[in-house]
Amino acid sequence: MYGKFKEHIQKEIADIKDAGLYKNERIIVTPQKADIKVSTGNNVLNFCANNYLGLSNHPELVKAAKEALDTHGYGMSSVRFICGTQDLHKKLEAKIADFFGTDDTILYAACFDANGGLFEPLLTAEDAIISDALNHASIIDGVRLCKAQRYRYKNADIEDLEEQLKRAQAQRFRIIVTDGVFSMDGNVAPMDKINELSKKYDALVMIDECHSAGVVGETGRGVTELFNIRGEIDIITGTLGKAFGGAIGGFTTGRKDIIEILRQRSRPYLFSNSIPPMVANAGIRMFDMMSETTELQDKLHWNTDYFYNKMKDVGFDIKTTKSAIVAIMLYDAKLSQDFAAKLLDEGIYVIGFYYPVVPKGQARIRVQLSAGHEKEHLDKAITAFTKVGKELGII
Ligand SMILES: *Cc1c(COP(=O)(O)O)cnc(C)c1O
């Protein structure tokens, strides 16, 4: 049997390669941080990690993780409701709720699971999900697992959202679902207006804060801080795998009863392992750090403004951003790949994105800033971008 199937798979792989969509992985041989070494022996400055606060290799988190190995062991070997809950997990859940100003939190192995297990337990075919067209794959999968009626609105488009909300009055309950920050443009969902519409059209609101939590808002509390609607959003999902240390783990935080029913019915929670104690303990330490100082947010915001403004001054075409994602528009797919390859030669590691990850004719280089970057890292990147931009006739 495998012979025929193998041929089939090999053809699929060849097709992916022919389409130029084959994904190669670069191998990093150092911890994740601003200056990394890759397996080819090159040292590069990393501008494509989700390590927004530079915490992936933070000594305090490494220390907290080590401590937990000694006090709580290595793994849980169980789902929570059977015998997998430690004090650390409960404490972390409380810290997350505190950070977002919500009632309670439920942890998952990843935010992919949080989103995958969110909708099906809460909504039925009688209800409606109104989802932004650019929402993350895990939201799309979560929605697919649920029988609710689906409505889609154009990215961050309030008029279209209102249109869909009118149509969705046919259903019993409605929920508006959006990423806080969209990963390809770095734009922020217009949460103030979404919140208003949710009241007008009697809809719940869910925000995925994976790219916004820790980053957006003066103290990094996410889009609810940015739009001054803290405590008003029903459901927030997020990850411990990006700004918050970058290890692993996801969560849903929000209204008490919603979290309670998820503990009873959410399948990725009920049938999958808990995060390891060292990750929980490092998470606790991390949220403590977040409430002690906004130093990392301040640095990240400074870095982003500095990079964005300098790159604009040099003449690059850049999408307006309110996050730590800066999209440098090149429009042409091949150009985006050539540009990224030349930058790598200059010691700058960035990724060029093109269709189908972004719309056709919208190819770009996405730069992700971090509090782990020093000014000299930014200057080196700006110099390299300028050099390559001139070589390729962009600026
Ligand atoms: C990264 C990401 C996820 C997945 O998070 P993991 O914890 O890595 O599974 C979900 N939603 C959005 C918007 C993301 O950017």
Side-chain angles (χ1 to χ4, degrees), residues 32-77:
Q32 181 66 277
K33 55 195 172 77
D35 51 330
I36 53 171
K37 188 171 180 169
V38 291
S39 58
T40 53
N42 293 352
N43 290 296
V44 294
L45 291 180
N46 188 353
F47 284 91
C48 55
N50 300 316
N51 185 19
Y52 295 121
L53 297 176
L55 292 173
S56 306
N57 190 38
H58 195 285
E60 285 286 320
L61 302 195
V62 173
K63 185 165 159 259
K66 283 180 181 165
E67 279 167 10
L69 280 170
D70 290 336
T71 57
H72 287 72
Y74 173 65
M76 294 308 300
S77 307

mmCIF file of all heavy atoms in Angstrom, residues 32-77:
data_model
loop_
_atom_site.group_PDB
_atom_site.id
_atom_site.type_symbol
_atom_site.label_atom_id
_atom_site.label_comp_id
_atom_site.label_asym_id
_atom_site.label_seq_id
_atom_site.Cartn_x
_atom_site.Cartn_y
_atom_site.Cartn_z
ATOM 1 N N GLN A 32 17.427 31.408 21.956
ATOM 2 C CA GLN A 32 16.700 32.421 21.181
ATOM 3 C C GLN A 32 16.976 33.796 21.796
ATOM 4 O O GLN A 32 16.734 34.015 22.975
ATOM 5 C CB GLN A 32 15.204 32.099 21.234
ATOM 6 C CG GLN A 32 14.340 33.046 20.452
ATOM 7 C CD GLN A 32 14.613 32.938 18.954
ATOM 8 O OE1 GLN A 32 15.549 33.535 18.438
ATOM 9 N NE2 GLN A 32 13.797 32.160 18.267
ATOM 10 N N LYS A 33 17.487 34.700 21.009
ATOM 11 C CA LYS A 33 17.759 36.064 21.497
ATOM 12 C C LYS A 33 18.043 36.972 20.317
ATOM 13 O O LYS A 33 17.859 36.552 19.173
ATOM 14 C CB LYS A 33 18.906 36.082 22.512
ATOM 15 C CG LYS A 33 20.216 35.470 22.030
ATOM 16 C CD LYS A 33 21.144 35.214 23.218
ATOM 17 C CE LYS A 33 22.386 34.436 22.847
ATOM 18 N NZ LYS A 33 23.451 35.150 22.177
ATOM 19 N N ALA A 34 18.495 38.192 20.583
ATOM 20 C CA ALA A 34 18.685 39.170 19.498
ATOM 21 C C ALA A 34 19.812 38.750 18.562
ATOM 22 O O ALA A 34 19.674 38.775 17.350
ATOM 23 C CB ALA A 34 18.962 40.546 20.085
ATOM 24 N N ASP A 35 20.952 38.359 19.145
ATOM 25 C CA ASP A 35 22.062 37.909 18.295
ATOM 26 C C ASP A 35 22.211 36.405 18.445
ATOM 27 O O ASP A 35 22.531 35.907 19.525
ATOM 28 C CB ASP A 35 23.353 38.651 18.654
ATOM 29 C CG ASP A 35 23.658 38.612 20.151
ATOM 30 O OD1 ASP A 35 22.697 38.556 20.952
ATOM 31 O OD2 ASP A 35 24.846 38.602 20.520
ATOM 32 N N ILE A 36 21.965 35.714 17.369
ATOM 33 C CA ILE A 36 21.973 34.248 17.422
ATOM 34 C C ILE A 36 23.018 33.705 16.454
ATOM 35 O O ILE A 36 23.497 34.414 15.568
ATOM 36 C CB ILE A 36 20.582 33.665 17.034
ATOM 37 C CG1 ILE A 36 20.122 34.227 15.679
ATOM 38 C CG2 ILE A 36 19.561 33.928 18.114
ATOM 39 C CD1 ILE A 36 18.888 33.544 15.120
ATOM 40 N N LYS A 37 23.346 32.433 16.654
ATOM 41 C CA LYS A 37 24.237 31.745 15.729
ATOM 42 C C LYS A 37 23.423 30.634 15.074
ATOM 43 O O LYS A 37 22.676 29.927 15.750
ATOM 44 C CB LYS A 37 25.423 31.162 16.510
ATOM 45 C CG LYS A 37 26.515 30.593 15.639
ATOM 46 C CD LYS A 37 27.730 30.251 16.495
ATOM 47 C CE LYS A 37 28.838 29.688 15.622
ATOM 48 N NZ LYS A 37 30.091 29.588 16.365
ATOM 49 N N VAL A 38 23.570 30.501 13.764
ATOM 50 C CA VAL A 38 22.857 29.438 13.053
ATOM 51 C C VAL A 38 23.831 28.330 12.670
ATOM 52 O O VAL A 38 25.050 28.504 12.756
ATOM 53 C CB VAL A 38 22.091 29.991 11.824
ATOM 54 C CG1 VAL A 38 20.926 30.862 12.266
ATOM 55 C CG2 VAL A 38 23.007 30.770 10.898
ATOM 56 N N SER A 39 23.262 27.186 12.265
ATOM 57 C CA SER A 39 24.079 25.973 12.099
ATOM 58 C C SER A 39 25.145 26.104 11.013
ATOM 59 O O SER A 39 26.094 25.339 10.979
ATOM 60 C CB SER A 39 23.175 24.776 11.814
ATOM 61 O OG SER A 39 22.420 25.017 10.659
ATOM 62 N N THR A 40 25.000 27.087 10.126
ATOM 63 C CA THR A 40 26.038 27.300 9.107
ATOM 64 C C THR A 40 27.245 28.013 9.701
ATOM 65 O O THR A 40 28.232 28.250 9.006
ATOM 66 C CB THR A 40 25.486 28.177 7.973
ATOM 67 O OG1 THR A 40 24.943 29.377 8.549
ATOM 68 C CG2 THR A 40 24.392 27.474 7.190
ATOM 69 N N GLY A 41 27.145 28.377 10.987
ATOM 70 C CA GLY A 41 28.258 29.041 11.655
ATOM 71 C C GLY A 41 28.121 30.555 11.659
ATOM 72 O O GLY A 41 28.907 31.245 12.295
ATOM 73 N N ASN A 42 27.109 31.076 10.932
ATOM 74 C CA ASN A 42 26.954 32.536 10.862
ATOM 75 C C ASN A 42 26.293 33.100 12.114
ATOM 76 O O ASN A 42 25.379 32.496 12.666
ATOM 77 C CB ASN A 42 26.086 32.917 9.656
ATOM 78 C CG ASN A 42 26.780 32.607 8.356
ATOM 79 O OD1 ASN A 42 27.958 32.239 8.335
ATOM 80 N ND2 ASN A 42 26.055 32.725 7.267
ATOM 81 N N ASN A 43 26.784 34.257 12.504
ATOM 82 C CA ASN A 43 26.114 35.015 13.565
ATOM 83 C C ASN A 43 25.206 36.033 12.904
ATOM 84 O O ASN A 43 25.650 36.771 12.027
ATOM 85 C CB ASN A 43 27.146 35.726 14.427
ATOM 86 C CG ASN A 43 27.930 34.732 15.256
ATOM 87 O OD1 ASN A 43 27.377 34.056 16.118
ATOM 88 N ND2 ASN A 43 29.205 34.609 14.974
ATOM 89 N N VAL A 44 23.949 36.058 13.305
ATOM 90 C CA VAL A 44 23.001 36.998 12.695
ATOM 91 C C VAL A 44 22.196 37.699 13.780
ATOM 92 O O VAL A 44 22.048 37.186 14.896
ATOM 93 C CB VAL A 44 22.041 36.282 11.703
ATOM 94 C CG1 VAL A 44 22.802 35.750 10.500
ATOM 95 C CG2 VAL A 44 21.263 35.174 12.373
ATOM 96 N N LEU A 45 21.681 38.854 13.416
ATOM 97 C CA LEU A 45 20.764 39.560 14.309
ATOM 98 C C LEU A 45 19.352 39.118 13.942
ATOM 99 O O LEU A 45 18.952 39.151 12.774
ATOM 100 C CB LEU A 45 20.903 41.074 14.137
ATOM 101 C CG LEU A 45 22.217 41.673 14.635
ATOM 102 C CD1 LEU A 45 22.224 43.180 14.396
ATOM 103 C CD2 LEU A 45 22.419 41.374 16.118
ATOM 104 N N ASN A 46 18.631 38.725 14.953
ATOM 105 C CA ASN A 46 17.327 38.111 14.736
ATOM 106 C C ASN A 46 16.202 39.151 14.793
ATOM 107 O O ASN A 46 15.973 39.758 15.839
ATOM 108 C CB ASN A 46 17.130 37.049 15.825
ATOM 109 C CG ASN A 46 15.908 36.218 15.591
ATOM 110 O OD1 ASN A 46 15.129 36.494 14.691
ATOM 111 N ND2 ASN A 46 15.728 35.198 16.397
ATOM 112 N N PHE A 47 15.542 39.329 13.664
ATOM 113 C CA PHE A 47 14.397 40.249 13.600
ATOM 114 C C PHE A 47 13.128 39.517 13.158
ATOM 115 O O PHE A 47 12.239 40.125 12.572
ATOM 116 C CB PHE A 47 14.703 41.411 12.645
ATOM 117 C CG PHE A 47 15.623 42.437 13.235
ATOM 118 C CD1 PHE A 47 17.005 42.330 13.068
ATOM 119 C CD2 PHE A 47 15.122 43.489 13.981
ATOM 120 C CE1 PHE A 47 17.858 43.274 13.627
ATOM 121 C CE2 PHE A 47 15.968 44.439 14.541
ATOM 122 C CZ PHE A 47 17.335 44.332 14.359
ATOM 123 N N CYS A 48 13.083 38.203 13.414
ATOM 124 C CA CYS A 48 11.885 37.465 12.992
ATOM 125 C C CYS A 48 11.368 36.524 14.064
ATOM 126 O O CYS A 48 10.638 35.581 13.772
ATOM 127 C CB CYS A 48 12.134 36.729 11.686
ATOM 128 S SG CYS A 48 13.548 35.643 11.711
ATOM 129 N N ALA A 49 11.711 36.786 15.324
ATOM 130 C CA ALA A 49 11.143 35.972 16.402
ATOM 131 C C ALA A 49 9.979 36.730 17.039
ATOM 132 O O ALA A 49 9.869 37.949 16.917
ATOM 133 C CB ALA A 49 12.204 35.668 17.447
ATOM 134 N N ASN A 50 9.118 35.978 17.716
ATOM 135 C CA ASN A 50 8.019 36.594 18.465
ATOM 136 C C ASN A 50 8.474 36.937 19.880
ATOM 137 O O ASN A 50 7.664 37.048 20.790
ATOM 138 C CB ASN A 50 6.836 35.629 18.547
ATOM 139 C CG ASN A 50 6.305 35.254 17.182
ATOM 140 O OD1 ASN A 50 6.147 36.105 16.315
ATOM 141 N ND2 ASN A 50 6.037 33.970 16.972
ATOM 142 N N ASN A 51 9.759 37.085 20.031
ATOM 143 C CA ASN A 51 10.390 37.303 21.332
ATOM 144 C C ASN A 51 10.315 38.790 21.697
ATOM 145 O O ASN A 51 11.321 39.439 21.961
ATOM 146 C CB ASN A 51 11.839 36.819 21.228
ATOM 147 C CG ASN A 51 12.601 36.868 22.537
ATOM 148 O OD1 ASN A 51 12.001 36.923 23.608
ATOM 149 N ND2 ASN A 51 13.917 36.861 22.451
ATOM 150 N N TYR A 52 9.081 39.324 21.708
ATOM 151 C CA TYR A 52 8.879 40.771 21.771
ATOM 152 C C TYR A 52 9.513 41.442 22.978
ATOM 153 O O TYR A 52 9.977 42.565 22.901
ATOM 154 C CB TYR A 52 7.379 41.092 21.748
ATOM 155 C CG TYR A 52 6.703 40.706 20.454
ATOM 156 C CD1 TYR A 52 5.635 39.805 20.440
ATOM 157 C CD2 TYR A 52 7.124 41.235 19.240
ATOM 158 C CE1 TYR A 52 5.008 39.451 19.262
ATOM 159 C CE2 TYR A 52 6.502 40.889 18.055
ATOM 160 C CZ TYR A 52 5.444 39.993 18.071
ATOM 161 O OH TYR A 52 4.833 39.642 16.908
ATOM 162 N N LEU A 53 9.495 40.754 24.111
ATOM 163 C CA LEU A 53 10.035 41.378 25.322
ATOM 164 C C LEU A 53 11.447 40.890 25.630
ATOM 165 O O LEU A 53 12.005 41.233 26.673
ATOM 166 C CB LEU A 53 9.088 41.125 26.503
ATOM 167 C CG LEU A 53 7.696 41.750 26.342
ATOM 168 C CD1 LEU A 53 6.792 41.358 27.509
ATOM 169 C CD2 LEU A 53 7.785 43.267 26.220
ATOM 170 N N GLY A 54 11.991 40.084 24.721
ATOM 171 C CA GLY A 54 13.349 39.584 24.943
ATOM 172 C C GLY A 54 13.440 38.634 26.124
ATOM 173 O O GLY A 54 14.492 38.508 26.753
ATOM 174 N N LEU A 55 12.342 37.941 26.429
ATOM 175 C CA LEU A 55 12.308 37.092 27.625
ATOM 176 C C LEU A 55 12.683 35.635 27.368
ATOM 177 O O LEU A 55 12.827 34.867 28.317
ATOM 178 C CB LEU A 55 10.914 37.155 28.271
ATOM 179 C CG LEU A 55 10.523 38.499 28.893
ATOM 180 C CD1 LEU A 55 9.063 38.469 29.345
ATOM 181 C CD2 LEU A 55 11.439 38.831 30.064
ATOM 182 N N SER A 56 12.844 35.260 26.100
ATOM 183 C CA SER A 56 13.066 33.834 25.778
ATOM 184 C C SER A 56 14.272 33.252 26.495
ATOM 185 O O SER A 56 14.343 32.043 26.709
ATOM 186 C CB SER A 56 13.261 33.657 24.276
ATOM 187 O OG SER A 56 12.190 34.222 23.584
ATOM 188 N N ASN A 57 15.210 34.114 26.799
ATOM 189 C CA ASN A 57 16.434 33.649 27.452
ATOM 190 C C ASN A 57 16.714 34.489 28.695
ATOM 191 O O ASN A 57 17.855 34.684 29.074
ATOM 192 C CB ASN A 57 17.592 33.766 26.445
ATOM 193 C CG ASN A 57 18.849 33.083 26.941
ATOM 194 O OD1 ASN A 57 18.767 32.024 27.566
ATOM 195 N ND2 ASN A 57 20.000 33.678 26.686
ATOM 196 N N HIS A 58 15.655 34.976 29.321
ATOM 197 C CA HIS A 58 15.857 35.880 30.460
ATOM 198 C C HIS A 58 16.313 35.100 31.694
ATOM 199 O O HIS A 58 15.699 34.092 32.050
ATOM 200 C CB HIS A 58 14.553 36.625 30.763
ATOM 201 C CG HIS A 58 14.743 37.805 31.666
ATOM 202 N ND1 HIS A 58 14.964 37.667 33.021
ATOM 203 C CD2 HIS A 58 14.763 39.128 31.404
ATOM 204 C CE1 HIS A 58 15.112 38.863 33.551
ATOM 205 N NE2 HIS A 58 14.999 39.775 32.596
ATOM 206 N N PRO A 59 17.386 35.555 32.353
ATOM 207 C CA PRO A 59 17.937 34.802 33.496
ATOM 208 C C PRO A 59 16.916 34.541 34.607
ATOM 209 O O PRO A 59 16.932 33.477 35.225
ATOM 210 C CB PRO A 59 19.077 35.690 33.999
ATOM 211 C CG PRO A 59 19.048 36.951 33.213
ATOM 212 C CD PRO A 59 18.193 36.742 32.009
ATOM 213 N N GLU A 60 16.010 35.494 34.843
ATOM 214 C CA GLU A 60 15.006 35.293 35.909
ATOM 215 C C GLU A 60 14.074 34.127 35.573
ATOM 216 O O GLU A 60 13.655 33.384 36.459
ATOM 217 C CB GLU A 60 14.164 36.565 36.075
ATOM 218 C CG GLU A 60 14.887 37.685 36.777
ATOM 219 C CD GLU A 60 15.023 37.414 38.269
ATOM 220 O OE1 GLU A 60 14.069 36.912 38.878
ATOM 221 O OE2 GLU A 60 16.117 37.675 38.804
ATOM 222 N N LEU A 61 13.727 34.010 34.293
ATOM 223 C CA LEU A 61 12.802 32.940 33.903
ATOM 224 C C LEU A 61 13.522 31.592 33.887
ATOM 225 O O LEU A 61 12.958 30.573 34.305
ATOM 226 C CB LEU A 61 12.172 33.237 32.536
ATOM 227 C CG LEU A 61 11.409 34.551 32.405
ATOM 228 C CD1 LEU A 61 10.536 34.537 31.154
ATOM 229 C CD2 LEU A 61 10.550 34.841 33.614
ATOM 230 N N VAL A 62 14.774 31.607 33.441
ATOM 231 C CA VAL A 62 15.566 30.373 33.458
ATOM 232 C C VAL A 62 15.707 29.893 34.910
ATOM 233 O O VAL A 62 15.539 28.707 35.215
ATOM 234 C CB VAL A 62 16.948 30.612 32.808
ATOM 235 C CG1 VAL A 62 17.849 29.389 32.965
ATOM 236 C CG2 VAL A 62 16.790 30.968 31.323
ATOM 237 N N LYS A 63 15.932 30.842 35.801
ATOM 238 C CA LYS A 63 16.093 30.518 37.233
ATOM 239 C C LYS A 63 14.790 29.940 37.795
ATOM 240 O O LYS A 63 14.803 28.906 38.478
ATOM 241 C CB LYS A 63 16.495 31.796 37.976
ATOM 242 C CG LYS A 63 16.803 31.615 39.436
ATOM 243 C CD LYS A 63 17.552 32.853 39.986
ATOM 244 C CE LYS A 63 17.433 32.951 41.486
ATOM 245 N NZ LYS A 63 16.406 33.939 41.932
ATOM 246 N N ALA A 64 13.681 30.587 37.488
ATOM 247 C CA ALA A 64 12.381 30.104 37.990
ATOM 248 C C ALA A 64 12.086 28.707 37.446
ATOM 249 O O ALA A 64 11.551 27.848 38.153
ATOM 250 C CB ALA A 64 11.276 31.088 37.598
ATOM 251 N N ALA A 65 12.440 28.483 36.181
ATOM 252 C CA ALA A 65 12.208 27.157 35.588
ATOM 253 C C ALA A 65 13.047 26.107 36.303
ATOM 254 O O ALA A 65 12.551 25.026 36.654
ATOM 255 C CB ALA A 65 12.542 27.195 34.095
ATOM 256 N N LYS A 66 14.307 26.432 36.558
ATOM 257 C CA LYS A 66 15.195 25.474 37.254
ATOM 258 C C LYS A 66 14.682 25.163 38.659
ATOM 259 O O LYS A 66 14.692 24.016 39.097
ATOM 260 C CB LYS A 66 16.617 26.037 37.343
ATOM 261 C CG LYS A 66 17.391 25.938 36.042
ATOM 262 C CD LYS A 66 18.788 26.513 36.221
ATOM 263 C CE LYS A 66 19.572 26.436 34.918
ATOM 264 N NZ LYS A 66 20.776 27.282 34.965
ATOM 265 N N GLU A 67 14.240 26.207 39.354
ATOM 266 C CA GLU A 67 13.720 26.004 40.709
ATOM 267 C C GLU A 67 12.548 25.034 40.695
ATOM 268 O O GLU A 67 12.451 24.139 41.525
ATOM 269 C CB GLU A 67 13.271 27.348 41.306
ATOM 270 C CG GLU A 67 14.424 28.163 41.859
ATOM 271 C CD GLU A 67 14.038 29.617 42.155
ATOM 272 O OE1 GLU A 67 12.821 29.945 42.107
ATOM 273 O OE2 GLU A 67 14.960 30.411 42.397
ATOM 274 N N ALA A 68 11.668 25.218 39.725
ATOM 275 C CA ALA A 68 10.476 24.363 39.673
ATOM 276 C C ALA A 68 10.836 22.921 39.347
ATOM 277 O O ALA A 68 10.168 21.987 39.799
ATOM 278 C CB ALA A 68 9.483 24.915 38.645
ATOM 279 N N LEU A 69 11.892 22.714 38.597
ATOM 280 C CA LEU A 69 12.334 21.338 38.332
ATOM 281 C C LEU A 69 12.635 20.634 39.655
ATOM 282 O O LEU A 69 12.300 19.464 39.841
ATOM 283 C CB LEU A 69 13.579 21.337 37.443
ATOM 284 C CG LEU A 69 13.360 21.525 35.945
ATOM 285 C CD1 LEU A 69 14.700 21.740 35.245
ATOM 286 C CD2 LEU A 69 12.628 20.342 35.329
ATOM 287 N N ASP A 70 13.259 21.380 40.575
ATOM 288 C CA ASP A 70 13.603 20.796 41.872
ATOM 289 C C ASP A 70 12.397 20.643 42.787
ATOM 290 O O ASP A 70 12.262 19.648 43.487
ATOM 291 C CB ASP A 70 14.669 21.662 42.570
ATOM 292 C CG ASP A 70 16.020 21.568 41.871
ATOM 293 O OD1 ASP A 70 16.253 20.545 41.188
ATOM 294 O OD2 ASP A 70 16.817 22.507 41.994
ATOM 295 N N THR A 71 11.517 21.639 42.778
ATOM 296 C CA THR A 71 10.400 21.591 43.741
ATOM 297 C C THR A 71 9.194 20.811 43.211
ATOM 298 O O THR A 71 8.448 20.234 43.983
ATOM 299 C CB THR A 71 9.920 23.016 44.100
ATOM 300 O OG1 THR A 71 9.544 23.690 42.887
ATOM 301 C CG2 THR A 71 11.016 23.810 44.795
ATOM 302 N N HIS A 72 8.980 20.818 41.883
ATOM 303 C CA HIS A 72 7.746 20.245 41.332
ATOM 304 C C HIS A 72 7.966 19.183 40.263
ATOM 305 O O HIS A 72 7.002 18.681 39.703
ATOM 306 C CB HIS A 72 6.853 21.349 40.767
ATOM 307 C CG HIS A 72 6.193 22.183 41.826
ATOM 308 N ND1 HIS A 72 6.879 23.085 42.598
ATOM 309 C CD2 HIS A 72 4.901 22.216 42.257
ATOM 310 C CE1 HIS A 72 6.039 23.663 43.450
ATOM 311 N NE2 HIS A 72 4.829 23.150 43.277
ATOM 312 N N GLY A 73 9.229 18.873 39.971
ATOM 313 C CA GLY A 73 9.496 17.812 39.013
ATOM 314 C C GLY A 73 9.424 18.273 37.567
ATOM 315 O O GLY A 73 9.303 19.462 37.281
ATOM 316 N N TYR A 74 9.472 17.321 36.674
ATOM 317 C CA TYR A 74 9.650 17.615 35.247
ATOM 318 C C TYR A 74 8.340 17.700 34.467
ATOM 319 O O TYR A 74 8.129 18.632 33.705
ATOM 320 C CB TYR A 74 10.557 16.520 34.662
ATOM 321 C CG TYR A 74 10.705 16.577 33.170
ATOM 322 C CD1 TYR A 74 11.344 17.667 32.559
ATOM 323 C CD2 TYR A 74 10.230 15.543 32.368
ATOM 324 C CE1 TYR A 74 11.488 17.717 31.183
ATOM 325 C CE2 TYR A 74 10.374 15.597 30.993
ATOM 326 C CZ TYR A 74 11.005 16.679 30.405
ATOM 327 O OH TYR A 74 11.148 16.726 29.060
ATOM 328 N N GLY A 75 7.479 16.702 34.637
ATOM 329 C CA GLY A 75 6.271 16.683 33.816
ATOM 330 C C GLY A 75 5.038 16.322 34.604
ATOM 331 O O GLY A 75 5.125 15.928 35.770
ATOM 332 N N MET A 76 3.894 16.473 33.983
ATOM 333 C CA MET A 76 2.626 16.235 34.674
ATOM 334 C C MET A 76 2.042 14.855 34.375
ATOM 335 O O MET A 76 1.252 14.320 35.153
ATOM 336 C CB MET A 76 1.614 17.310 34.306
ATOM 337 C CG MET A 76 1.993 18.695 34.791
ATOM 338 S SD MET A 76 2.379 18.746 36.549
ATOM 339 C CE MET A 76 0.838 18.186 37.231
ATOM 340 N N SER A 77 2.332 14.315 33.206
ATOM 341 C CA SER A 77 1.852 12.970 32.854
ATOM 342 C C SER A 77 0.351 12.790 33.040
ATOM 343 O O SER A 77 -0.094 11.687 33.352
ATOM 344 C CB SER A 77 2.570 11.899 33.682
ATOM 345 O OG SER A 77 3.963 12.044 33.570
#
